[in-house]
Amino acid sequence: MSYRSSLSAVLADVVAPAAEVAGEQGRFPRAAVTALGRAGLLGLTAATADGGGGRGCAEAAEVVARTARVCPATAAVLTSHFAAVAALGVYGSPWLRGEIAAGRHLATLALGDVGPEGHLVDAGAGRRHLSPGGGGSAAVRSGGVVALRARRRSVVAAGEADSYLWSSEALETSRPTAPRALSGRPGRTDRGGVTLWVVPAHAPELFVPARPDGGGLRGSGSSTVCADPVLVPADAMLGPDGGGGDIVLGVVRPWLLELTAALASEVPRTRDVPCGDTGFADARSGTGPSKAGARDAPSGAGPAGAARSEDTGLAPACHPGGTLAPT
């Protein structure tokens, strides 16, 4: 059966009956996502070598547009998933790529910062980018473990996805240190890089608010995701340290722009908030362009530990049906 026929069947049998609940009650369309996975549509753009459909952005945009006519919330989830898979399919571990190809893994984007200094920088013309300097998106490595501390706003499928494509500043251990300042405190010269990670949903101390804060299409599960901090293995890094901006610009952003346009063409009100306010359209680093064929960083493994969060009114950012990395 072609992916178009499979999509037609899922839209009629599962997505349409659940669309009213998603739109009016704001309930995440879990049944629709599960059915799309079983029909091979979550793995539509995964490489055939990994067991996926091997399709491109044009086919993914077609799926998003057709889904948006029936259930905009499900289409928003697919938009974020396909954009994340564009990077995970190149840089993710073999296990993670296989899970995505098999339709057992829902990915999403968590690339915009909400930190004490505010990291969503207005670039004009409605565009925003990640500011690599300052606090609120720190990554600190200790041995084989990295502590990520940040708060991501309006993440689609927050608490429902199996993994998050996450951004941070370059590792603190890799940044040069400036001479001691006049205040007597050691200065620091940020390299200006952005690093990408795969953060599994089951990682301890990864939380979403008990009440979603909205910011995206109703029913899309858009909410804040908090890491205070979350610990992940060092090999959860995607691509080179400090090279995440090039991956976002060269790999994720082109997919996101086309998929968002497909969604907005069917749901005009999403033009101002294309996929939640994720703030990742123009992340940039100081490194050279990424190599599209590289698969140089294993990821998707579970966390090595956790620190206690002092936040209240938060729930773990995972769901019972999420896939776990093998140990």
Side-chain angles (χ1 to χ4, degrees):
M1 183 182 295
S2 70
Y3 76 89
R4 291 187 176 94
S5 298
S6 297
L7 178 61
S8 296
V10 173
L11 291 178
D13 296 342
V14 183
V15 178
E20 184 175 353
V21 174
E24 294 187 2
Q25 299 181 20
R27 187 177 302 174
F28 185 81
R30 170 53 55 189
V33 172
T34 299
L36 288 166
R38 290 174 177 170
L41 294 163
L42 290 185
L44 179 71
T45 61
T48 54
D50 296 323
R55 300 288 182 168
C57 190
E59 291 86 352
E62 177 189 352
V63 169
V64 167
R66 290 184 58 189
T67 303
R69 297 168 198 162
V70 179
C71 180
T74 303
V77 173
L78 287 174
T79 296
S80 193
H81 170 77
F82 285 137
V85 168
L88 297 175
V90 176
Y91 296 93
S93 69
W95 175 84
L96 180 58
R97 298 197 309 268
E99 289 295 293
I100 292 171
R104 295 189 293 264
H105 193 100
L106 178 66
T108 195
L109 299 167
L111 301 176
D113 279 348
V114 179
E117 298 178 17
H119 285 242
L120 291 178
V121 179
D122 190 353
R127 298 185 305 166
R128 296 152 80 85
H129 69 85
L130 285 172
S131 172
S137 63
V140 181
R141 179 168 181 169
S142 177
V145 177
V146 175
L148 301 172
R149 186 186 298 273
R151 183 168 295 180
R152 299 288 184 254
R153 182 162 59 96
S154 298
V155 175
V156 174
E160 298 287 347
D162 297 301
S163 69
Y164 300 84
L165 182 61
W166 194 276
S167 65
S168 75
E169 299 173 357
L171 288 170
E172 289 192 358
T173 56
S174 66
R175 298 189 193 128
T177 301
R180 185 174 297 272
L182 294 178
S183 64
R185 296 179 180 178
R188 192 185 74 192
T189 302
D190 288 335
R191 190 173 60 185
V194 174
T195 299
L196 296 184
W197 308 87
V198 175
V199 176
H202 62 272
E205 306 307 330
L206 188 68
F207 296 96
V208 297
R211 292 185 178 180
D213 58 4
L217 282 172
R218 184 171 177 83
S220 65
S222 296
S223 185
T224 296
V225 178
C226 307
D228 191 28
V230 63
L231 303 187
V232 297
D235 64 5
M237 183 188 297
L238 290 184
D241 184 26
D246 289 311
I247 297 174
V248 172
L249 278 178
V251 180
V252 178
R253 187 171 183 265
W255 281 72
L256 185 71
L257 290 176
E258 186 163 346
L259 295 170
T260 298
L263 174 61
S265 68
E266 301 297 335
V267 188
R269 65 178 177 275
T270 65
R271 292 185 186 274
D272 294 329
V273 186
C275 197
D277 192 6
T278 49
F280 49 81
D282 284 305
R284 187 65 175 168
S285 74
T287 62
S290 60
K291 296 181 180 180
R295 285 178 176 163
D296 48 3
S299 63
R308 178 179 176 81
S309 172
E310 299 300 326
D311 289 331
T312 60
L314 302 178
C318 61
H319 61 86
T323 55
L324 305 181
T327 57

